[in-house]
Amino acid sequence: MNEVLSLRPAAHAGLADLLAQIRARRGEFETLRHIPRDIVEGFRRAGIYRAFVPARFGGDEISPAAFLRMIETISTADASAGWVASFGVSSTYLAALPVETYATIFRADPDTVFAGAMFPPQPARRVEGGFEVSGRWPYGSGSMAADLIGAGIKIEGEDAPLPRTAVMPRALVTIDETWDTIGLTATGSHDIVVDKVVVAPEWTFVRGAKSAMEDRIFRYPAMALAAQVLAVVGLGTAREALDWVRSDAANRASITGAPSPGARPHVQESLARAEARLAGARAQFFDIIETAWDQLAHAPSVDRETHIRLRMAATHAAEEAAEIARMAFVMGGTGAMVRGHPLGRIMVDAACVAQHAFMAAGTWTAAGAAMFGEKTPPGFP
Protein backbone atom coordinates (compact mmCIF):
# COMPACT_ATOMS: atom_id res chain seq x y z
CA MET A 1 0.00 0.00 0.00
CA ASN A 2 1.41 3.37 -1.00
CA GLU A 3 -1.06 5.69 0.69
CA VAL A 4 0.28 7.75 3.57
CA LEU A 5 -1.56 6.64 6.69
CA SER A 6 -2.89 9.23 9.12
CA LEU A 7 -1.16 7.85 12.17
CA ARG A 8 0.78 9.45 14.96
CA PRO A 9 4.52 9.08 14.16
CA ALA A 10 5.20 6.48 16.86
CA ALA A 11 2.20 4.43 15.78
CA HIS A 12 3.17 4.65 12.12
CA ALA A 13 6.68 3.44 12.93
CA GLY A 14 5.32 0.39 14.75
CA LEU A 15 2.68 -0.62 12.22
CA ALA A 16 5.11 -2.43 9.90
CA ASP A 17 6.34 -4.55 12.81
CA LEU A 18 2.75 -5.30 13.82
CA LEU A 19 1.88 -6.41 10.29
CA ALA A 20 4.92 -8.68 10.22
CA GLN A 21 3.79 -10.25 13.49
CA ILE A 22 0.29 -10.79 12.12
CA ARG A 23 1.58 -12.50 8.97
CA ALA A 24 3.90 -14.74 10.99
CA ARG A 25 1.20 -15.78 13.45
CA ARG A 26 -1.81 -16.43 11.22
CA GLY A 27 -1.74 -20.14 11.97
CA GLU A 28 -1.81 -19.42 15.70
CA PHE A 29 -4.80 -17.10 15.24
CA GLU A 30 -6.76 -19.75 13.34
CA THR A 31 -6.09 -22.28 16.09
CA LEU A 32 -7.23 -19.83 18.77
CA ARG A 33 -10.20 -18.72 16.62
CA HIS A 34 -9.66 -15.15 17.79
CA ILE A 35 -7.09 -12.36 17.54
CA PRO A 36 -5.06 -12.48 20.78
CA ARG A 37 -4.91 -9.59 23.20
CA ASP A 38 -1.30 -8.62 22.44
CA ILE A 39 -2.24 -7.96 18.81
CA VAL A 40 -5.25 -5.92 19.93
CA GLU A 41 -2.86 -3.96 22.14
CA GLY A 42 -0.84 -3.31 18.99
CA PHE A 43 -3.99 -1.94 17.37
CA ARG A 44 -4.41 0.34 20.38
CA ARG A 45 -0.89 1.67 19.99
CA ALA A 46 -1.52 2.26 16.29
CA GLY A 47 -4.49 4.47 17.18
CA ILE A 48 -7.20 2.21 15.80
CA TYR A 49 -9.59 2.65 18.72
CA ARG A 50 -9.07 6.39 19.23
CA ALA A 51 -9.24 7.15 15.52
CA PHE A 52 -12.75 8.64 15.54
CA VAL A 53 -12.78 9.86 19.16
CA PRO A 54 -12.92 13.69 19.26
CA ALA A 55 -9.73 15.44 20.33
CA ARG A 56 -11.51 16.94 23.35
CA PHE A 57 -11.82 13.39 24.72
CA GLY A 58 -8.22 12.47 23.89
CA GLY A 59 -8.81 10.99 20.44
CA ASP A 60 -7.17 11.49 17.05
CA GLU A 61 -10.26 12.66 15.11
CA ILE A 62 -9.12 11.32 11.72
CA SER A 63 -11.22 11.13 8.55
CA PRO A 64 -13.16 8.03 7.44
CA ALA A 65 -10.87 7.55 4.41
CA ALA A 66 -7.76 7.62 6.60
CA PHE A 67 -9.24 5.03 8.98
CA LEU A 68 -10.40 2.81 6.12
CA ARG A 69 -6.91 2.81 4.59
CA MET A 70 -5.53 1.69 7.95
CA ILE A 71 -7.98 -1.25 8.03
CA GLU A 72 -7.25 -2.08 4.38
CA THR A 73 -3.53 -2.20 5.15
CA ILE A 74 -4.02 -4.48 8.17
CA SER A 75 -6.24 -6.73 6.03
CA THR A 76 -3.41 -7.28 3.55
CA ALA A 77 -1.70 -9.11 6.41
CA ASP A 78 -4.76 -11.07 7.57
CA ALA A 79 -8.49 -10.64 6.94
CA SER A 80 -9.51 -11.67 10.46
CA ALA A 81 -7.10 -9.16 11.97
CA GLY A 82 -8.50 -6.45 9.70
CA TRP A 83 -12.05 -7.43 10.64
CA VAL A 84 -11.32 -7.14 14.37
CA ALA A 85 -9.45 -3.85 13.90
CA SER A 86 -12.41 -2.49 11.91
CA PHE A 87 -14.39 -2.29 15.13
CA GLY A 88 -12.34 0.74 15.99
CA VAL A 89 -15.34 2.36 14.30
CA SER A 90 -17.37 1.59 17.41
CA SER A 91 -16.63 4.96 18.99
CA THR A 92 -19.02 6.36 16.37
CA TYR A 93 -21.76 3.87 17.35
CA LEU A 94 -21.31 4.88 20.98
CA ALA A 95 -21.82 8.53 20.03
CA ALA A 96 -25.55 7.75 20.17
CA LEU A 97 -25.15 7.40 23.96
CA PRO A 98 -25.88 10.44 26.12
CA VAL A 99 -22.94 12.84 25.85
CA GLU A 100 -22.12 12.44 29.55
CA THR A 101 -21.84 8.66 29.18
CA TYR A 102 -19.67 8.98 26.07
CA ALA A 103 -17.38 11.41 27.90
CA THR A 104 -17.15 9.05 30.88
CA ILE A 105 -15.93 6.23 28.62
CA PHE A 106 -13.43 8.04 26.44
CA ARG A 107 -12.03 10.63 28.84
CA ALA A 108 -11.05 7.71 31.03
CA ASP A 109 -9.52 5.81 28.09
CA PRO A 110 -9.73 7.06 24.47
CA ASP A 111 -8.46 3.62 23.39
CA THR A 112 -11.47 1.79 24.85
CA VAL A 113 -12.29 -1.36 22.87
CA PHE A 114 -16.01 -1.95 22.27
CA ALA A 115 -17.53 -5.03 20.65
CA GLY A 116 -20.84 -6.83 20.76
CA ALA A 117 -23.76 -8.36 18.93
CA MET A 118 -27.10 -6.79 18.05
CA PHE A 119 -29.31 -9.60 16.79
CA PRO A 120 -31.66 -11.07 17.66
CA PRO A 121 -32.67 -8.33 20.13
CA GLN A 122 -33.62 -9.94 23.43
CA PRO A 123 -36.42 -8.72 25.72
CA ALA A 124 -35.13 -6.55 28.57
CA ARG A 125 -37.27 -6.11 31.66
CA ARG A 126 -37.66 -2.72 33.35
CA VAL A 127 -36.37 -2.98 36.91
CA GLU A 128 -35.12 -0.59 39.55
CA GLY A 129 -31.96 1.00 38.21
CA GLY A 130 -32.65 0.36 34.53
CA PHE A 131 -33.14 -2.70 32.34
CA GLU A 132 -32.45 -6.31 33.28
CA VAL A 133 -30.62 -7.88 30.35
CA SER A 134 -30.43 -11.61 29.71
CA GLY A 135 -29.91 -13.67 26.60
CA ARG A 136 -27.55 -15.02 23.98
CA TRP A 137 -26.35 -13.21 20.87
CA PRO A 138 -24.24 -14.75 18.06
CA TYR A 139 -21.57 -13.02 15.97
CA GLY A 140 -19.85 -11.11 18.77
CA SER A 141 -16.76 -10.37 16.65
CA GLY A 142 -13.77 -9.11 18.60
CA SER A 143 -15.41 -9.61 21.99
CA MET A 144 -12.55 -11.68 23.41
CA ALA A 145 -10.35 -8.61 23.92
CA ALA A 146 -13.03 -5.94 24.42
CA ASP A 147 -13.38 -3.61 27.41
CA LEU A 148 -17.10 -3.02 26.86
CA ILE A 149 -19.68 -5.32 25.30
CA GLY A 150 -22.95 -4.28 23.65
CA ALA A 151 -26.03 -6.48 23.25
CA GLY A 152 -29.22 -5.79 21.31
CA ILE A 153 -32.34 -5.48 23.43
CA LYS A 154 -36.03 -4.72 22.96
CA ILE A 155 -37.94 -2.93 25.67
CA GLU A 156 -41.66 -3.39 26.17
CA GLY A 157 -43.55 -0.38 24.86
CA GLU A 158 -40.66 0.92 22.75
CA ASP A 159 -41.37 0.84 19.05
CA ALA A 160 -38.20 1.61 17.08
CA PRO A 161 -37.10 0.17 13.71
CA LEU A 162 -33.46 -0.11 14.86
CA PRO A 163 -32.27 -2.12 17.88
CA ARG A 164 -31.40 -0.60 21.22
CA THR A 165 -28.03 -1.67 22.56
CA ALA A 166 -27.12 -2.17 26.20
CA VAL A 167 -23.47 -1.45 27.05
CA MET A 168 -21.85 -3.55 29.78
CA PRO A 169 -18.37 -4.14 31.22
CA ARG A 170 -16.71 -7.20 29.67
CA ALA A 171 -16.45 -8.77 33.14
CA LEU A 172 -20.25 -9.10 33.33
CA VAL A 173 -20.50 -10.98 30.03
CA THR A 174 -19.71 -14.61 29.23
CA ILE A 175 -18.18 -15.51 25.88
CA ASP A 176 -19.28 -18.93 24.66
CA GLU A 177 -16.64 -19.96 22.08
CA THR A 178 -18.99 -21.25 19.40
CA TRP A 179 -17.24 -19.72 16.34
CA ASP A 180 -16.08 -22.54 14.04
CA THR A 181 -15.95 -21.51 10.40
CA ILE A 182 -13.94 -21.97 7.20
CA GLY A 183 -13.55 -18.23 6.66
CA LEU A 184 -12.71 -15.25 8.90
CA THR A 185 -11.79 -17.98 11.35
CA ALA A 186 -9.87 -15.79 13.79
CA THR A 187 -12.45 -13.04 14.25
CA GLY A 188 -13.63 -14.60 17.51
CA SER A 189 -17.25 -14.04 16.47
CA HIS A 190 -18.49 -16.18 19.34
CA ASP A 191 -21.81 -16.02 21.18
CA ILE A 192 -22.07 -13.50 23.97
CA VAL A 193 -24.17 -14.58 26.96
CA VAL A 194 -25.64 -12.30 29.62
CA ASP A 195 -27.57 -13.32 32.72
CA LYS A 196 -29.63 -10.73 34.63
CA VAL A 197 -27.28 -7.77 34.26
CA VAL A 198 -28.95 -4.48 35.14
CA VAL A 199 -28.00 -1.71 32.72
CA ALA A 200 -28.83 1.92 33.47
CA PRO A 201 -30.84 3.71 30.72
CA GLU A 202 -27.97 6.14 30.09
CA TRP A 203 -25.78 3.17 29.14
CA THR A 204 -28.07 2.20 26.26
CA PHE A 205 -28.36 3.64 22.76
CA VAL A 206 -30.17 3.06 19.48
CA ARG A 207 -27.64 2.00 16.87
CA GLY A 208 -27.76 4.34 13.91
CA ALA A 209 -29.58 7.06 15.88
CA LYS A 210 -28.49 10.67 15.49
CA SER A 211 -25.82 11.73 17.96
CA ALA A 212 -26.36 14.73 20.22
CA MET A 213 -22.79 15.73 19.33
CA GLU A 214 -22.27 17.73 16.15
CA ASP A 215 -18.72 16.61 15.24
CA ARG A 216 -18.34 15.94 11.52
CA ILE A 217 -17.67 12.22 12.05
CA PHE A 218 -20.90 11.86 14.02
CA ARG A 219 -22.84 13.39 11.12
CA TYR A 220 -21.34 10.89 8.66
CA PRO A 221 -24.00 8.23 7.89
CA ALA A 222 -23.51 5.63 10.61
CA MET A 223 -24.81 2.55 8.80
CA ALA A 224 -22.84 3.40 5.67
CA LEU A 225 -19.65 3.65 7.70
CA ALA A 226 -20.48 0.35 9.44
CA ALA A 227 -20.66 -1.31 6.00
CA GLN A 228 -17.53 0.42 4.69
CA VAL A 229 -15.24 -0.70 7.52
CA LEU A 230 -16.13 -4.31 6.69
CA ALA A 231 -16.08 -3.97 2.90
CA VAL A 232 -12.57 -2.53 3.01
CA VAL A 233 -11.39 -5.77 4.65
CA GLY A 234 -12.30 -7.44 1.37
CA LEU A 235 -10.30 -4.89 -0.62
CA GLY A 236 -7.23 -5.49 1.53
CA THR A 237 -7.67 -9.24 1.23
CA ALA A 238 -7.94 -9.00 -2.57
CA ARG A 239 -4.74 -6.93 -2.59
CA GLU A 240 -2.99 -9.68 -0.63
CA ALA A 241 -4.19 -12.26 -3.17
CA LEU A 242 -2.85 -10.39 -6.18
CA ASP A 243 0.44 -9.58 -4.47
CA TRP A 244 0.85 -13.28 -3.69
CA VAL A 245 0.14 -14.26 -7.31
CA ARG A 246 2.61 -11.71 -8.68
CA SER A 247 5.33 -12.88 -6.32
CA ASP A 248 4.74 -16.60 -6.73
CA ALA A 249 3.84 -16.86 -10.41
CA ALA A 250 6.97 -15.12 -11.60
CA ASN A 251 9.23 -17.53 -9.73
CA ARG A 252 7.45 -20.89 -9.65
CA ALA A 253 8.49 -23.53 -12.15
CA SER A 254 5.85 -25.82 -13.64
CA ILE A 255 6.10 -29.53 -12.75
CA THR A 256 5.30 -30.31 -16.40
CA GLY A 257 8.14 -28.21 -17.77
CA ALA A 258 5.74 -25.58 -19.13
CA PRO A 259 6.60 -21.87 -18.73
CA SER A 260 6.26 -20.42 -15.24
CA PRO A 261 2.72 -19.16 -14.52
CA GLY A 262 3.86 -15.57 -14.91
CA ALA A 263 4.96 -16.31 -18.51
CA ARG A 264 1.61 -17.79 -19.56
CA PRO A 265 -0.66 -15.45 -21.56
CA HIS A 266 -3.90 -16.52 -19.86
CA VAL A 267 -2.43 -15.85 -16.40
CA GLN A 268 -1.06 -12.51 -17.57
CA GLU A 269 -4.50 -11.53 -18.89
CA SER A 270 -6.24 -12.66 -15.69
CA LEU A 271 -3.85 -10.69 -13.51
CA ALA A 272 -4.29 -7.53 -15.59
CA ARG A 273 -8.08 -7.85 -15.48
CA ALA A 274 -8.04 -8.46 -11.72
CA GLU A 275 -5.77 -5.48 -11.09
CA ALA A 276 -8.08 -3.26 -13.15
CA ARG A 277 -11.16 -4.47 -11.28
CA LEU A 278 -9.52 -3.86 -7.92
CA ALA A 279 -8.38 -0.40 -8.93
CA GLY A 280 -11.89 0.45 -10.13
CA ALA A 281 -13.61 -0.80 -7.00
CA ARG A 282 -11.16 1.07 -4.76
CA ALA A 283 -11.46 4.28 -6.76
CA GLN A 284 -15.25 4.29 -6.54
CA PHE A 285 -15.17 3.32 -2.87
CA PHE A 286 -12.80 6.06 -1.73
CA ASP A 287 -14.13 8.69 -4.13
CA ILE A 288 -17.67 8.64 -2.69
CA ILE A 289 -16.31 8.55 0.85
CA GLU A 290 -14.23 11.67 0.20
CA THR A 291 -17.23 13.32 -1.49
CA ALA A 292 -19.41 12.68 1.54
CA TRP A 293 -16.72 13.92 3.92
CA ASP A 294 -16.31 17.12 1.90
CA GLN A 295 -20.08 17.69 1.93
CA LEU A 296 -20.11 17.48 5.72
CA ALA A 297 -17.55 20.30 5.90
CA HIS A 298 -20.20 22.61 4.42
CA ALA A 299 -23.56 21.07 5.29
CA PRO A 300 -25.15 19.35 8.32
CA SER A 301 -25.67 16.09 6.42
CA VAL A 302 -24.83 14.37 3.15
CA ASP A 303 -27.36 14.57 0.33
CA ARG A 304 -29.65 11.63 -0.37
CA GLU A 305 -27.94 10.54 -3.58
CA THR A 306 -24.52 10.48 -1.92
CA HIS A 307 -25.95 8.54 1.01
CA ILE A 308 -27.25 5.83 -1.32
CA ARG A 309 -23.98 5.72 -3.24
CA LEU A 310 -22.07 5.21 0.01
CA ARG A 311 -23.99 1.99 0.61
CA MET A 312 -23.70 0.81 -2.99
CA ALA A 313 -19.94 1.42 -3.05
CA ALA A 314 -19.50 -0.80 0.02
CA THR A 315 -21.50 -3.65 -1.52
CA HIS A 316 -19.71 -3.29 -4.86
CA ALA A 317 -16.29 -3.29 -3.18
CA ALA A 318 -17.07 -6.43 -1.19
CA GLU A 319 -18.44 -8.29 -4.21
CA GLU A 320 -15.55 -7.27 -6.46
CA ALA A 321 -13.01 -8.22 -3.79
CA ALA A 322 -14.55 -11.68 -3.47
CA GLU A 323 -14.44 -12.19 -7.25
CA ILE A 324 -10.84 -10.93 -7.49
CA ALA A 325 -9.78 -13.35 -4.75
CA ARG A 326 -11.51 -16.16 -6.69
CA MET A 327 -9.63 -15.13 -9.85
CA ALA A 328 -6.37 -15.25 -7.90
CA PHE A 329 -7.22 -18.75 -6.68
CA VAL A 330 -7.69 -19.88 -10.30
CA MET A 331 -4.39 -18.24 -11.27
CA GLY A 332 -2.76 -20.28 -8.50
CA GLY A 333 -3.44 -23.48 -10.42
CA THR A 334 -3.71 -26.91 -8.86
CA GLY A 335 -1.27 -25.96 -6.12
CA ALA A 336 -3.85 -23.57 -4.65
CA MET A 337 -6.07 -26.58 -3.92
CA VAL A 338 -3.73 -27.85 -1.19
CA ARG A 339 -5.12 -27.46 2.31
CA GLY A 340 -3.60 -24.42 3.98
CA HIS A 341 -2.58 -22.73 0.73
CA PRO A 342 -2.74 -18.91 1.10
CA LEU A 343 -4.97 -18.43 -1.95
CA GLY A 344 -7.57 -20.87 -0.63
CA ARG A 345 -7.70 -19.06 2.72
CA ILE A 346 -7.84 -15.66 1.04
CA MET A 347 -10.62 -16.69 -1.37
CA VAL A 348 -12.85 -17.95 1.44
CA ASP A 349 -12.11 -14.95 3.69
CA ALA A 350 -13.05 -12.53 0.92
CA ALA A 351 -16.21 -14.49 0.14
CA CYS A 352 -17.20 -14.32 3.81
CA VAL A 353 -16.80 -10.54 3.87
CA ALA A 354 -19.28 -10.28 1.00
CA GLN A 355 -21.71 -12.57 2.87
CA HIS A 356 -22.27 -9.99 5.62
CA ALA A 357 -25.80 -8.57 5.77
CA PHE A 358 -24.51 -5.00 5.32
CA MET A 359 -23.19 -5.94 1.87
CA ALA A 360 -25.62 -8.70 0.92
CA ALA A 361 -27.45 -8.79 -2.41
CA GLY A 362 -30.51 -7.21 -0.82
CA THR A 363 -28.66 -3.90 -0.54
CA TRP A 364 -28.86 -3.56 -4.32
CA THR A 365 -32.65 -3.89 -4.19
CA ALA A 366 -32.81 -1.41 -1.33
CA ALA A 367 -30.61 1.05 -3.23
CA GLY A 368 -32.80 0.78 -6.31
CA ALA A 369 -35.92 1.31 -4.22
CA ALA A 370 -34.33 4.38 -2.66
CA MET A 371 -33.51 5.78 -6.09
CA PHE A 372 -37.16 5.41 -7.11
CA GLY A 373 -38.33 6.99 -3.87
CA GLU A 374 -39.89 3.71 -2.75
CA LYS A 375 -39.93 2.29 0.76
CA THR A 376 -36.60 0.84 1.97
CA PRO A 377 -35.81 -1.56 4.84
CA PRO A 378 -35.05 -0.13 8.31
CA GLY A 379 -31.47 1.14 8.46
CA PHE A 380 -31.14 1.74 4.71
CA PRO A 381 -29.52 3.82 3.42
Side-chain angles (χ1 to χ4, degrees):
M1 308 300 296
N2 296 321
E3 292 87 348
V4 176
L5 302 180
S6 295
L7 300 173
R8 288 162 286 142
H12 197 175
L15 186 60
D17 289 341
L18 180 61
L19 296 179
Q21 282 190 58
I22 290 169
R23 289 187 176 99
R25 295 172 61 187
R26 282 188 297 220
E28 173 195 342
F29 301 165
E30 293 209 1
T31 300
L32 289 172
R33 291 179 295 142
H34 68 264
I35 301 300
R37 187 172 296 275
D38 68 303
I39 297 297
V40 174
E41 289 299 320
F43 294 155
R44 284 188 201 254
R45 291 190 296 273
I48 293 295
Y49 299 105
R50 66 172 59 215
F52 292 136
V53 176
R56 65 184 178 278
F57 301 130
D60 288 346
E61 229 178 85
I62 69 173
S63 72
F67 179 81
L68 290 162
R69 288 188 175 99
M70 291 165 65
I71 302 306
E72 183 184 27
T73 299
I74 293 168
S75 301
T76 65
D78 180 66
S80 290
W83 191 269
V84 170
S86 79
F87 291 99
V89 75
S90 295
S91 58
T92 66
Y93 303 161
L94 293 172
L97 286 165
V99 176
E100 297 78 9
T101 307
Y102 190 92
T104 296
I105 294 169
F106 290 104
R107 279 194 180 126
D109 181 5
D111 294 305
T112 294
V113 182
F114 174 79
M118 303 298 110
F119 298 99
Q122 299 291 330
R125 192 165 62 92
R126 296 179 188 271
V127 297
E128 184 177 354
F131 307 112
E132 184 181 85
V133 178
S134 294
R136 175 184 288 268
W137 295 260
Y139 303 110
S141 301
S143 297
M144 296 291 282
D147 304 308
L148 296 174
I149 299 284
I153 60 173
K154 52 185 177 182
I155 300 165
E156 186 178 1
E158 184 174 78
D159 184 21
L162 298 174
R164 182 168 291 276
T165 302
V167 179
M168 298 161 279
R170 167 68 178 83
L172 299 181
V173 176
T174 299
I175 307 296
D176 185 5
E177 297 187 32
T178 54
W179 188 246
D180 186 14
T181 62
I182 60 171
L184 297 176
T185 305
T187 59
S189 303
H190 302 301
D191 289 5
I192 63 173
V193 183
V194 179
D195 184 29
K196 297 181 179 178
V197 174
V198 176
V199 180
E202 62 269 24
W203 283 83
T204 71
F205 67 93
V206 175
R207 182 171 175 178
K210 185 178 185 297
S211 173
M213 296 181 279
E214 292 297 324
D215 304 69
R216 184 155 43 146
I217 189 57
F218 301 146
R219 290 184 283 115
Y220 191 94
M223 301 308 290
L225 185 57
Q228 288 157 8
V229 300
L230 302 180
V232 82
V233 172
L235 292 177
T237 304
R239 178 71 271 156
E240 181 192 7
L242 297 185
D243 286 349
W244 195 95
V245 168
R246 292 176 75 160
S247 173
D248 176 75
N251 301 309
R252 178 163 50 91
S254 170
I255 61 173
T256 65
S260 71
R264 299 174 195 175
H266 73 279
V267 175
Q268 294 166 348
E269 178 185 358
S270 292
L271 177 63
R273 288 182 180 276
E275 287 283 5
R277 291 180 72 160
L278 181 56
R282 287 190 77 251
Q284 178 181 236
F285 182 78
F286 283 106
D287 177 69
I288 190 60
I289 288 163
E290 295 283 17
T291 296
W293 192 240
D294 287 345
Q295 285 185 11
L296 291 173
H298 309 287
S301 61
V302 302
D303 63 54
R304 176 76 169 173
E305 188 71 19
T306 298
H307 199 163
I308 296 167
R309 286 181 61 204
L310 286 169
R311 292 299 303 269
M312 290 196 300
T315 299
H316 179 69
E319 289 186 354
E320 283 291 273
E323 175 58 17
I324 291 160
R326 187 200 66 79
M327 292 171 71
F329 177 82
V330 173
M331 285 183 257
T334 55
M337 297 165 54
V338 176
R339 187 183 300 276
H341 193 282
L343 291 179
R345 170 184 55 78
I346 291 167
M347 178 176 67
V348 176
D349 282 344
C352 287
V353 171
Q355 292 278 85
H356 194 280
F358 284 169
M359 287 84 68
T363 59
W364 292 117
T365 304
M371 290 175 177
F372 280 118
E374 297 292 333
K375 185 178 179 180
T376 60
F380 192 96

